[in-house]
Amino acid sequence: MTDATTRAASGTAARNAESAASFTALYGTEPEGIWAAPGRVNLIGEYTDFNDGFVMPLALPHTARAAVARRTDGVLRLHSTDMPGGVVQLRVDELAPHAGHGWAAYPAGVVWALREAGHRVTGADIQLTSTVPTGAGLSSSAALEVVTALALNALFGLGLTASELAVLGQRAENAFVGVPCGVMDQMASACCTEGHLLYLDTRDLGSRQVPFDLAAQGLTLLVVDTRVKHALGDGAYAERRAGCEEGARILGIPALRDLPYDGLDAALEKLAAAGADESVLRFVRHVVSDNQRVEQVIALLDAGDAPAVGPVLTAGHVSLRDDLRVSCPELDLAVSAANGAGALGARMTGGGFGGSAIVLVDVAAAAAVTESVLEAFASAGYAAPGVFTAVPSAGARRLAPAAW
Ligand code: ADP
Ligand code: MG
């Protein structure tokens, strides 16, 4: 087990005791509860969620945790053990989008989104701590939003479902923080279950828990965190989103999800004839083909043929690299080194331009593949990536009071 896996899996009771004690020291009162929400990796279906398409994430054992106590005086106090700068104190009735607040905008945005939706949240003391690597494409931000939403939902008796909390988390990130993300990350953190993938239709949030027992087939899924994030990614997401929307508009469909794979060639001809930019054609081809790859993976898993998922992952990477153009040299190297060393398939996961890749590999070959990836990074002069196993873990939950 690598460092990250060990950290994520270790001593939950001890960690909870630690966070309860530090909450009490910080705020001078006991927390009313502790909640956890995981990060995620997406197996397949990338950049499809803002096209009403399909995705297939799994929750990681890495979680954001929140110790929370209600307040009735309109004060919101936020603290993260992972961030410098101490407690951020705000007033719930003064929360306004795009007001800055740094990291605190994520939990504050959730309070804002809940109140905007008419829910009575009268203030809170919140302490956050997380084992989800930040900015690694593993959704540390969604974990923070979902854990905050879940805790406030419970304490204020709001009665919202996991999907509703996910949508509020997305709204916090879109409208309050100002990041135009789709709903996959929050849905994965809120709704995944242990041992399963979440097959999610992002149009209506219909979902199915798909058993994902790789060990039974002698396989494992590795995450390679390249530990890089290229600045290029910042405007690229919005550009791709706009390109996809333009493609759908020219084709006269509500979203690219409505274009079936067997209509792709005709659609590309229509886009070219209409004078669409060549980038729009590439974006459309990626989204439609990745939706198709989700269907392929589902069919393979339902048929019990997990090894055959490998080449579909690699095809997804090629599409992200060449059509959507959201990969980067480090991600390409992780994929080529893993595949060159005998992995069944690999691809970048998440938004790209850095972050993480996933690798499907026989358990017996996992150590050699990991070694090859590390060697390839060293030879290229890149910092050593973090490699850990993606164990499909539980979604957001309250931790038992007895545990702390
Ligand atoms: P990702 O979600 O892929 O990790 P993002 O850029 O979407 O990357 O979100 C990362 C941001 O989320 C951080 O810059 C920080 O503002 C916030 N964040 C993540 N984890 C924590 C944490 N443990 N404490 C405070 N803020 C955090
Ligand atoms: Mg994020």
Side-chain angles (χ1 to χ4, degrees), residues 80 82-83 103 106 130 133-141 144 173 229:
S80 167
D82 308 313
M83 294 287 168
W103 68 267
Y106 293 89
S130 183
T134 300
L138 304 176
S139 288
S140 69
S141 62
L144 223 53
E173 187 149 346
K229 190 172 175 77

Side-chain angles (χ1 to χ4, degrees), residues 1-249:
M1 244 201 273
T2 61
D3 277 3
T5 318
T6 315
R7 242 195 354 264
S10 74
T12 307
R15 289 185 57 91
N16 290 345
E18 218 175 83
S19 64
S22 89
F23 183 99
T24 309
L26 189 67
Y27 293 126
T29 172
E30 297 261 312
E32 294 181 86
I34 297 188
W35 287 261
R40 62 97 190 94
V41 283
N42 186 24
L43 185 67
I44 192 77
E46 212 66 76
Y47 280 82
T48 50
D49 65 349
F50 60 77
N51 292 291
D52 281 0
F54 301 94
V55 295
M56 232 156 82
L58 58 104
L60 293 172
H62 309 67
T63 58
R65 288 179 303 119
V68 184
R70 273 170 295 183
R71 300 180 65 100
T72 53
D73 60 358
V75 170
L76 177 64
R77 294 196 289 181
L78 302 165
H79 181 258
S80 167
T81 61
D82 308 313
M83 294 287 168
V87 174
V88 176
Q89 181 161 332
L90 302 165
R91 286 205 54 85
V92 294
D93 51 3
E94 289 171 1
L95 293 173
H98 307 294
H101 307 310
W103 68 267
Y106 293 89
V110 170
V111 174
W112 171 82
L114 284 166
R115 287 172 55 89
E116 276 274 304
H119 300 295
R120 195 176 139 74
V121 178
T122 56
D125 288 335
I126 301 179
Q127 186 170 42
L128 296 153
T129 188
S130 183
T131 56
V132 186
T134 300
L138 304 176
S139 288
S140 69
S141 62
L144 223 53
E145 291 150 8
V146 169
V147 79
T148 304
L150 189 72
L152 296 173
N153 184 49
L155 289 178
F156 286 97
L158 306 179
L160 296 166
T161 63
S163 303
E164 287 167 339
L165 296 174
V167 170
L168 281 161
Q170 183 203 16
R171 176 152 165 70
E173 187 149 346
N174 288 170
F176 193 89
V177 183
V179 178
C181 59
V183 75
M184 168 174 69
D185 299 352
Q186 293 81 6
M187 281 295 292
S189 187
C191 301
C192 279
T193 57
E194 195 176 340
H196 293 84
L197 296 156
L198 182 74
Y199 174 41
L200 174 69
D201 179 342
T202 63
R203 169 162 279 169
D204 61 8
L205 301 189
S207 67
R208 170 154 79 90
Q209 302 286 346
V210 180
F212 194 51
D213 185 3
L214 288 177
Q217 298 194 47
L219 305 181
T220 188
L221 189 71
L222 302 176
V223 177
V224 179
D225 173 5
T226 65
R227 302 194 204 273
V228 299
K229 190 172 175 77
H230 296 287
L232 187 60
D234 293 348
Y237 185 91
E239 185 190 330
R240 277 144 189 80
R241 191 168 180 149
C244 289
E245 283 162 7
E246 189 191 335
R249 187 182 50 74

